[in-house]
Amino acid sequence: MEAPSAEQLKSNVKPFRSIPQDLETITKYFDTFGDCKVLLIGYASNGASEFYSVRAEITKHMMQNHGFKIFAVEADWPDAESVDRYARHRPGPEEGAAGFYGLDLYSMGTSIKAVVDYLDTVDKDMAQVAKGRYSKLMHWADDPHGYGLESLATSFQGYEKDAVAMLKDILSKRIEYSAALDDGTEFRSGEQNARVVKDAEQYYKAMYRRRDETWNLRDTHMFEALTRLLERRGRDSKAIVWAHNSHVALQGEVWGQAVSIGTGTNTGTVAAAQDWDGNMSIMEIQPRLPGSYEEPMHAAGIGNIVLDLRKGKCDEKL
């Protein structure tokens, strides 16, 4: 698809000075998205404060005024759950309360520990089974990339069967475990951590084979996690999702009642690291690509803008 010209954009965008200066105007603009079931808010890069600020204000406005109760982000389930547990004073009833959730699958080791800790509270015998099944996989918790490389370079098959068996056993005890604590919230958390372990094991084995395979595994995991959250909250549940633009675009195509919002820029800096878990530094971002939407947006010389590409909201040529 050919990118629009700068002149086309000028007649279709809504300019604003900054989030602090035009906060009320900008947030109210998003009232038109209030009826959607899933509002996906993307970002072009991690580590950019402006992207975080605008998403935070949109999210706050939509949750306060339009009934969104699920706030799910591109983060690991155990890390996000620590925030949710603190904010909602868990354990306690989930019905009617807003919740904060992580959709990603990078927490293999942390999720293994979380499964064992949960089972220790409801079924100590099963906790021992989990410790046994996860013991070999846990050796790779600090080096999951090495786990994947080992499966590629040698005849090593990994421990998929153990991860799958553990998830099946937990699911078979759904009624019993759900009755043991509160309204089933803790069970669903234990279940999700077991799913993370299973999917992460597959992900790390696949990552040295084909990049598209791991990308699909990760997107599928996030989509299924969000689906379960919506289902357990009931038919009227609504979710806001924070993720990279690429994830938001893919997920938005699947959800029937979804709206995808992307963010982008041409110049600026981000807080990032050269390597995974490396020291943070401030880096210049790469300028826009030729033929991208960012190119005419920058050429238009307007500054901060909102561009609504929904049918009937802009020139059809866009």
Side-chain angles (χ1 to χ4, degrees):
M1 181 178 177
E2 186 178 346
S5 67
E7 292 305 314
Q8 283 178 306
L9 282 173
K10 285 182 179 180
S11 60
N12 285 274
V13 300
K14 183 178 183 64
F16 64 96
R17 292 167 296 176
S18 69
I19 292 299
Q21 289 176 297
D22 294 324
L23 177 59
E24 185 175 355
T25 301
I26 293 303
T27 52
K28 283 189 175 180
Y29 183 83
F30 291 93
D31 285 337
T32 59
F33 303 140
D35 292 335
C36 71
K37 187 172 186 65
V38 180
L39 180 61
L40 302 121
I41 310 178
Y43 51 93
S45 173
N46 291 299
S49 63
E50 292 84 357
F51 294 157
Y52 285 100
S53 296
V54 70
R55 286 185 298 163
E57 294 300 338
I58 294 170
T59 299
K60 183 167 62 176
H61 178 78
M62 300 303 283
M63 294 185 79
Q64 289 175 341
N65 296 283
H66 295 286
F68 289 86
K69 297 293 185 182
I70 297 170
F71 181 16
V73 300
E74 185 183 338
D76 291 327
W77 180 271
D79 294 340
E81 186 176 44
S82 295
V83 176
D84 184 66
R85 194 176 293 279
Y86 173 81
R88 293 203 287 119
H89 306 290
R90 286 175 48 196
E94 183 178 53
E95 185 177 355
F100 183 64
Y101 310 96
L103 301 178
D104 225 327
L105 49 57
Y106 290 133
S107 60
M108 186 170 71
T110 310
S111 287
I112 286 175
K113 185 178 184 303
V115 171
V116 173
D117 288 347
Y118 165 69
L119 290 173
D120 257 334
T121 66
V122 294
D123 188 342
K124 292 190 179 297
D125 290 338
M126 187 64 79
Q128 291 302 313
V129 172
K131 288 177 182 178
R133 283 186 175 145
Y134 286 148
S135 60
K136 294 179 181 178
L137 189 57
M138 195 63 184
H139 287 309
W140 295 94
D142 293 331
D143 186 21
H145 296 83
Y147 179 80
L149 188 59
E150 184 76 8
S151 70
L152 176 69
T154 70
S155 59
F156 177 61
Q157 297 296 308
Y159 305 112
E160 179 180 353
K161 290 182 179 179
D162 291 326
V164 171
M166 198 65 248
L167 175 60
K168 285 183 176 179
D169 278 352
I170 290 173
L171 291 175
S172 72
K173 299 277 190 175
R174 178 186 298 273
I175 296 176
E176 178 184 337
Y177 290 173
S178 294
L181 291 172
D182 58 71
D183 61 348
T185 301
E186 301 305 319
F187 168 79
R188 287 187 287 264
S189 177
E191 172 198 345
Q192 180 60 23
N193 275 306
R195 290 183 184 276
V196 169
V197 176
K198 177 186 75 70
D199 290 349
E201 191 276 340
Q202 293 179 342
Y203 174 85
Y204 287 115
K205 284 194 304 186
M207 70 183 307
Y208 289 104
R209 298 171 194 161
R210 292 177 54 190
R211 189 173 185 274
D212 59 341
E213 184 179 351
T214 53
W215 189 269
N216 290 336
L217 282 169
R218 191 166 165 233
D219 260 5
T220 298
H221 174 87
M222 289 193 281
F223 173 76
E224 290 177 346
L226 181 59
T227 298
R228 285 189 292 272
L229 287 170
L230 287 164
E231 288 175 348
R232 87 185 197 205
R233 286 299 194 103
R235 61 182 300 174
D236 295 326
S237 60
K238 299 165 71 173
I240 292 177
V241 177
W242 285 15
H244 191 273
N245 284 344
S246 52
H247 295 300
V248 162
L250 290 170
Q251 302 288 351
E253 291 176 3
V254 178
W255 289 103
Q257 293 176 275
V259 173
S260 297
I261 301 173
T263 56
T265 187
N266 180 63
T267 57
T269 59
V270 295
Q274 293 287 352
D275 300 299
W276 196 266
D277 284 336
N279 293 326
M280 186 195 80
S281 59
I282 304 301
M283 302 180 185
E284 294 284 338
I285 67 167
Q286 295 293 323
R288 79 284 182 197
L289 294 172
S292 66
Y293 265 82
E294 284 83 357
E295 186 176 39
M297 287 177 178
H298 179 64
I302 302 174
N304 300 318
I305 60 172
V306 174
L307 173 61
D308 192 338
L309 292 172
R310 290 177 296 171
K311 188 175 182 179
K313 299 289 185 178
C314 65
D315 188 327
E316 290 185 2
K317 294 180 180 179
L318 294 177

